[in-house]
Amino acid sequence: MNDVSSGVLISLAAYFVIMIGIGVYAYFKQANDTEGYMLGGRNLGPAVTALSAGASDMSGWLLLGLPGYMYASGVVSIWIALGLTIGALLNYIIVAPRLRVYTEVAGNAITLPDYFANRFEDKSHMLRVISAIVIILFFTVYTAASLVGGGKLFESSLNLSYATGLWVTAGVVVAYTLFGGFLAVSMTDFVQGVIMLFALIIVPIVAFTDLGGVSAVTNSVGNIDPELLNVFSGMTFIGIVSLMAWGLGYFGQPHIIVRFMAIRSVRDVPTARNIGMSWMVVSLVGSLMTGFAGRAYVERTAMTLDDPETIFLVFTQFLFTPLVSGFLLAAILAAIMSTISSQLLVVSSSLTKDVYKLFFDKEAPESRQVLVGRLSVIAVAVVAILLASDPESSVLDLVSNAWAGFGAAFGPLVIFSLVWRGMNRNGAVAGMVVGALTVILWVYGPFEINGMALNDWLYAIVPGFILSTIAIFVVSKMTGGPRPSVSAKFKEMELNLHK
């Protein structure tokens, strides 16, 4: 093995040891009950909450996908970043404080399906079952896609086999998630978020410096194609709406909003918001600037770049020493692994609380539920590895639309459940079903507008979110509103929100 590969592996090995060490620490620190394993005892500090939410949200997309989009399309990619920033900020303002209070008021709900069932007093379990099915199916596939990213990273950067990368990535994530549960996932997410932040500050600064500064890079990109500097290049109103609509997805992502359920106190939410939004803005700017500088770098060096999404990897290879390159590659793995661990825990929690306890062992003691949760982590990971064993698997096509699916199915449901006491169970079911079906039909149905597939014309989350909202409002009004006891809980939530 050459010195370069050895240096990179040393950095990655140190990173893996730290992640597993955090898992062991969390194992001994947390309570051995479902609230401890699945929500960290509702005792997360604001900094850990903020960076954990951010790191589990962004995944490898932040270091690979977004720089690649900026590289290929130019500054029009700013519309996605703007939409995400607005969506995340509104999520902190509207959802975070209310969800923290209401999940505790509504029977101390541990999972999102648990909250829906308790919030609407759904004795039929319809809400819990439908939402659990959506979470289990989508997140298992989502996890598989994230594992593919880890496998490809090892294959392209370390000349190791794809299968080796797959198993190493999965093995480390399962190890700390299995033992440390939500606390380990959140603490490792915090560390991973810090690593990602430093990487997205260091790489663009070094790249711009190497290329002669901001003006030199801008001139170089403009000489390649002036349209790369035009924020409206090729954009229509519908196109801008589609890009900014990514922000709507935040309200319905279980692996993100579960952090709001676990924060120590509603009084910590503003601090978490400030930390989280600062991290997000700096990271997004760094990501965009990496892709922007990459276009000038590739032009100057006359290299061939077949895949724009590898521009971050190009910089790590050519501008840094092996040990630093290993740190930067660890940042990509951090982005990938933080999302995998969050998804694994959400799915295992749902399998435990919304399937096992509900249908197989209603009187299961806390210790047995935690054991089932740990076994579920292994089971979901194995299924995800099998799905990811073929890097070209068609199942990955589904994952590109999971954000829209979750956003449309759960987003309006979460928001209305927290701000409108007139919403009832029937409206909740209608909104979830209509939102999910709209996205599925919009993406996979044989429909076109002006010769374009619907999802190419307008991002599916937009019609899904709108129709879900209408369904919630209309059905709730038509079926008589909520029960008096539900209204009483809502009033209790509002009172506790301002304590």
Side-chain angles (χ1 to χ4, degrees):
M1 182 179 294
N2 60 42
D3 292 339
V4 174
S5 296
S6 297
V8 171
L9 284 176
I10 288 171
S11 293
L12 290 179
Y15 166 72
F16 287 147
V17 169
I18 292 171
M19 295 299 102
I20 294 175
I22 291 173
V24 174
Y25 168 80
Y27 174 79
F28 290 104
K29 184 175 177 61
Q30 70 184 6
N32 190 37
D33 56 23
T34 53
E35 189 174 45
Y37 186 74
M38 298 175 186
L39 276 186
R42 293 188 190 267
N43 200 35
L44 291 190
V48 174
T49 298
L51 266 66
S52 176
S56 62
D57 158 29
M58 288 301 182
S59 187
W61 175 85
L62 184 64
L63 290 94
L64 301 174
L66 187 56
Y69 187 52
M70 170 64 94
Y71 178 99
S73 304
V75 296
V76 294
S77 55
I78 289 174
W79 292 113
I80 291 181
L82 181 60
L84 289 172
T85 301
I86 294 173
L89 178 60
L90 292 176
N91 209 24
Y92 271 110
I93 294 173
I94 298 172
V95 174
R98 292 172 175 81
L99 192 66
R100 173 59 182 87
V101 173
Y102 212 161
T103 50
E104 204 162 17
V105 169
N108 197 30
I110 303 296
T111 67
L112 199 58
D114 203 15
Y115 162 67
F116 292 150
N118 293 346
R119 159 68 173 86
F120 298 104
E121 296 186 354
D122 180 22
K123 305 303 182 183
S124 70
H125 303 307
M126 184 184 300
L127 262 177
R128 187 194 296 269
V129 171
I130 294 174
S131 54
I133 289 172
V134 171
I135 287 172
I136 292 166
L137 290 179
F138 272 94
F139 267 158
T140 301
V141 178
Y142 218 147
T143 302
S146 299
L147 287 174
V148 169
K152 287 186 174 181
L153 180 63
F154 274 78
E155 185 178 41
S156 62
S157 301
L158 300 174
N159 294 320
L160 297 174
S161 70
Y162 171 81
T164 299
L166 197 67
W167 282 97
V168 169
T169 303
V172 174
V173 174
V174 168
Y176 68 73
T177 306
L178 178 72
F179 291 107
F182 187 86
L183 182 59
V185 168
S186 298
M187 292 175 68
T188 53
D189 281 353
F190 175 82
V191 174
Q192 289 160 340
V194 171
I195 293 173
M196 292 161 64
L197 181 66
F198 275 108
L200 287 167
I201 292 174
I202 293 170
V203 169
I205 287 177
V206 172
F208 272 90
T209 301
D210 183 76
L211 291 164
V214 175
S215 296
V217 171
T218 303
N219 290 335
S220 178
V221 173
N223 290 333
I224 296 168
D225 183 356
E227 286 301 303
L228 292 172
L229 302 179
N230 182 1
V231 73
F232 295 104
S233 177
M235 285 286 101
T236 62
F237 174 76
I238 294 296
I240 293 174
V241 169
S242 290
L243 292 180
M244 293 192 66
W246 278 84
L248 289 174
Y250 276 108
F251 306 112
Q253 305 301 318
H255 61 303
I256 297 173
I257 61 178
V258 71
R259 265 69 187 170
F260 304 151
M261 297 162 62
I263 194 168
R264 184 172 54 206
S265 166
V266 70
R267 291 186 296 274
D268 289 323
V269 170
T271 303
R273 181 186 66 228
N274 294 337
I275 295 171
M277 293 309 302
S278 299
W279 178 92
M280 184 176 188
V281 169
V282 173
S283 297
L284 286 172
V285 170
S287 178
L288 292 169
M289 290 301 97
T290 298
F292 192 68
R295 191 63 185 257
Y297 185 83
V298 168
E299 178 70 14
R300 192 186 76 173
T301 57
M303 69 168 60
T304 300
L305 187 67
D306 295 326
D307 184 357
E309 292 191 350
T310 62
I311 188 60
F312 187 92
L313 296 175
V314 168
F315 281 140
T316 65
Q317 181 179 355
F318 290 105
L319 297 183
F320 299 93
T321 65
L323 283 175
V324 178
S325 293
F327 168 80
L328 296 173
L329 290 176
I332 301 176
L333 272 177
I336 293 169
M337 292 168 62
S338 60
T339 301
I340 294 173
S341 60
S342 298
Q343 292 166 346
L344 279 177
L345 195 65
V346 169
V347 177
S348 69
S349 299
S350 197
L351 282 169
T352 302
K353 297 288 290 184
D354 307 315
V355 177
Y356 173 76
K357 188 173 186 295
L358 183 63
F359 294 108
F360 298 102
D361 192 353
K362 289 183 173 59
E363 306 301 323
E366 292 285 318
S367 58
R368 189 180 302 160
Q369 292 181 57
V370 172
L371 175 61
V372 172
R374 290 192 167 113
L375 293 175
S376 297
V377 167
I378 297 174
V380 174
V382 170
V383 174
I385 289 171
L386 293 174
L387 291 174
S389 59
D390 176 8
E392 304 302 325
S393 175
S394 62
V395 72
L396 299 180
D397 294 336
L398 296 171
V399 179
S400 63
N401 300 302
W403 183 267
F406 277 126
F410 290 153
L413 171 53
V414 169
I415 293 173
F416 274 88
S417 72
L418 296 171
V419 301
W420 183 36
R421 70 174 67 191
M423 182 181 179
N424 63 17
R425 189 211 69 164
N426 296 329
V429 172
M432 184 163 53
V433 172
V434 168
L437 288 179
T438 299
V439 169
I440 292 171
L441 290 174
W442 199 265
V443 173
Y444 301 107
F447 311 110
E448 294 183 349
I449 290 183
N450 297 326
M452 298 175 64
L454 290 182
N455 202 39
D456 294 333
W457 178 72
L458 176 65
Y459 187 32
I461 197 172
V462 177
F465 203 96
I466 292 172
L467 292 179
S468 175
T469 298
I470 293 172
I472 288 170
F473 182 78
V474 171
V475 174
S476 294
K477 284 290 188 180
M478 290 178 61
T479 54
R483 299 172 181 173
S485 55
V486 173
S487 296
K489 286 181 182 178
F490 194 95
K491 184 175 181 180
E492 183 181 353
M493 182 272 289
E494 289 180 319
L495 291 173
N496 289 338
L497 191 61
H498 302 292
K499 282 186 176 180

